[in-house]
Amino acid sequence: MMTLGAQPRQARPRWLELMLLVLPVLLLATGLTTISLARGEAPGQREQAIVAALATALFVSHLWLSLRHPHADEVILPTGAMLAALSMVMVARLEPDLATRQAMWVGVGSVAMLGTLTILPSVGWLRRYRYTWAVLGILLVLSTFVFGIDPNGSGARLWLGVGGVYFQPSEILKVLLVIFFAAYLDDYRELLALSNVRVGPFRLPPLPYLAPLLLMLALALGIIVLQRDLGAALLLFGLFLSMLYVASGRAVYVVGGLVLFAGGASLLYRLFSVVKIRVETWLDPWATADTTGYQLVQGLTALSAGGLFGSGLTYGYPRYVPAVHTDFMIAAIGEEIGLAGTLVVVALYVVLIHRGLRVAMLARDSFGALVAAGLTSVVGIQALVILGGTLKLIPLTGVTLPLLSYGGSSVLANFVLLGLLLAVSGEPRRSADAA
Amino acid sequence: MQRSLERLQLVLLSGFVLIALALGYWQFFRQDDVLARATNPRIAEEARRVVRGKILDRTGKVLAENLPDEDGGNHRTYPVGGMAAVVGYHSGQFGNSGIEAKYDEYLSGTRSADPFERLRDTLYHRPTVGSDVTLTVDARIQQAANDALAGRPGAVVVLDPKTGAVLALASAPTFEPGALDEQWQALLDDPTRPLVNRAVGASYTPGSTFKLVTAAAALDLRLVDPRQKFRCVDPIKIDSLTVDCRNHAHLANVDFREAFAWSCNRTFALTALELGTPKLQLADGLKAPFPWQDALGASANRLEEYARRFMIGRPIPFEIGVEGGQLKGGNAWYPSLLAQTGFGQGEIATTPLHMALVAAAVANGGNVPAPYLTTEITSPSGAVSTQNRGGGVLGRAFEASTAQTLNEMMVLSVDTAYAKPAAIANVKVGGKTGSAEAGPDGSLTHSWFVGYAPADDPRVAIAVIMEHRGSGTDFATPAARSILQRALDVYKR
């Protein structure tokens, strides 16, 4: 076996990535041109600047990866860029005043992604500060109790704001918790896989070892639930279960987790009227189509209005859907680009998840594998939570649609997430894979 | 760890398969159902974007069109006042009426003579533009009719007796269709019922104007020599009904034409009663057994037959809904009812349009013209859906020789008798007045006039009714004169 990290990082052209990166730039250019023409204007300087900004950000990222992480996955960046480009098109369509801002955030996100790749000495370095990450994340979220604001009238004070820039700490919390969970679970992986406590016919995991993990989880969940950020809570719990399962390989944790979830959910159903309303709205949104069911009903109506190929950009009425440029972005895509567009979105997430888990499978060590699996789970579960909610498959809880929704902290967190994923995949391989 | 990663992948990807299926469910299978719900704001949005077609008068004058709003929508306007009886209204809240209702599909663009038009609009994302409807009415003649009615309850129908083209269709009081939404409740509560289109949607006792039909039957059946004088002074008594000759108290001896011109009720009561006999006996001195005693059924049948030829009691096919009216109620004929019906009283009720067609048939040599309002429906691309040049007939009411005699009688009425106020200098006018008694007791009679001009080559036929206004001679007849005058000035072919 080769010494870990001994494989040289030799610059190498990443042709596949370069070719694939043409697509998001083309998508953005055609999208913005279509919108301008449909509004009866010629595409102006602003549109050209936005396209140029994305092209530059992607090309620089590509060059940087070729130089510093030549073996990193070549499909992840283009896939994420496709979603980001579609997001920029839709934001330009839905909230023209925010288009420049969203482009700026994609730029900042790219910088953060490259920053992550550059600053990070190695993925393994992250595990040293596992508790720092967890506490930092929880403190950030806790701070919203004191400094939290509600800039867009969503009814929950989930944002921190400085000088007109808003930031949602729970977006960063999920990335920090992935690192913490990965580090912790990796330490106790063997123990978790064993079952040394027996109760009757059941073999139970070594609960005491799990205490710090559960404590962190409980803290994060507790705070989030207190803030009524149910979507984030659902996401964190799902993330925890999936990482626990990956680390231990034992389905009993998942089953136990689901039982716990059922108990917790029924408790919440009794304690919080908001949960009860969400469930009732889910069962029959049309009964309260003017009040609590309004968003869901309008979302479904927008999707139906789009049909197979959509009304065409700017020719639908997606703005009847509340939060259509954030949580309900899929409704706008569905209305104006149709089922064709929404299925492409689904396909992009599938590709991203497939490549993310492939990174986990090929990771140099189990910590890297857990980080990659966790980050991929975050994207997958978050997309499923909000898409499932929008489509009336599960009760609606608000989270952003990863990489598609408008919003600075969401874009930033997701680009950092992509950066970490690329970092894991770019680590020199074990000898067997490196050949 | 590889196996659990594979399992995780399976779970996550299954989730996305479910999402894809749900997308297909809502975007394809449930599409129609979800979009048809009241919760879909797109229905109203699309309707607001539709540029409804114009309604034009025969000269191309715009009677109804949509003007753009500041917010991208548009709204219906009616630039010419007093056209509501024809054009109707178009309201998002209260629906459509008149031509707006009849051609709603074309005006709103859901139907078009050009089948690809809507497809093109959809493909190019252009707002749907409806077809334009061109009418036979002339806004200037309509204006003259409105002026003559002066807002008091009544109606006017003016048409071309040769083609059936309706030149004016006025009903008073009327409403402002552009302000319908605000005034709706007030219009419903108004006891004068401005929303009723009296020209076609209200049935009136026709009074003496109906003598045209009774006379037509007698002449067409050759039961009377119109130039044979008879003494006509004594009132007659039919059951408990007494009918007298007071309308021509200055003339003891009359012929059938003069009895018509002076609107003798006694003569037309007898005519109706005797239609089933071989020869009318109209002169004084009738004694029992009366000629009609055995012929009542046959007489009634004949009057019914001639009334039917003018569709009295039946709706006339027309762009706007026409009331049928009735010749009599549900009871069987009895002598005094038949006698009264002969001079337009009794249980008979008919619309101004029906009576205009009676005059038009005389003017048209015995053919009842099929009335129509629409000449053309033109799609934005210029495709023409409906093209009506007129000339259709509802049927033949009587022979040309009958028409000629009736014409003579109507001209006589205008030249010498009760219809004199309809006379126009240098133009021969034919006409018949009517003063119809229609309850409540003590109220003034409906003032009627039907006629046409010029009598030697008729271009316009007319029916005027003014509710509870007094005699036909004093009100409807001079009103008709001014409308006919205006119509002859502007309606040239």
Side-chain angles (χ1 to χ4, degrees), chain A residues 221-268:
Chain A
L221 279 182
I223 294 164
I224 286 169
V225 168
L226 279 180
Q227 285 186 318
R228 307 280 197 278
D229 193 355
L230 299 171
L234 196 57
L235 167 62
L236 283 193
F237 194 75
L239 168 69
F240 173 70
L241 283 189
S242 92
M243 289 188 73
L244 189 58
Y245 175 71
V246 170
S248 68
R250 301 197 52 210
V252 66
Y253 293 120
V254 181
V255 175
L258 289 178
V259 170
L260 270 178
F261 175 79
S266 66
L267 195 68
L268 289 179

Side-chain angles (χ1 to χ4, degrees), chain B residues 177-262:
Chain B
L180 187 88
D181 288 351
E182 301 90 81
Q183 296 173 1
W184 182 258
Q185 196 53 47
L187 290 170
L188 286 185
D189 294 342
D190 191 331
T192 65
R193 311 210 309 170
L195 289 174
V196 172
N197 186 347
R198 290 169 154 84
V200 294
S203 294
Y204 296 99
T205 307
S208 300
T209 57
F210 188 74
K211 284 171 182 164
L212 272 168
V213 177
T214 313
L219 291 167
D220 212 42
L221 295 164
R222 300 178 197 287
L223 305 180
V224 62
D225 175 357
R227 292 167 191 280
Q228 190 183 344
K229 294 264 184 185
F230 54 91
R231 187 180 157 79
C232 183
V233 175
D234 299 341
I236 56 156
K237 208 162 182 302
I238 304 141
D239 302 335
S240 59
L241 176 76
T242 305
V243 188
D244 60 33
C245 299
R246 80 175 88 156
N247 285 350
H248 58 101
H250 61 294
L251 275 179
N253 288 308
V254 293
D255 63 16
F256 194 67
R257 300 172 306 158
E258 289 162 332
F260 176 87
W262 291 104

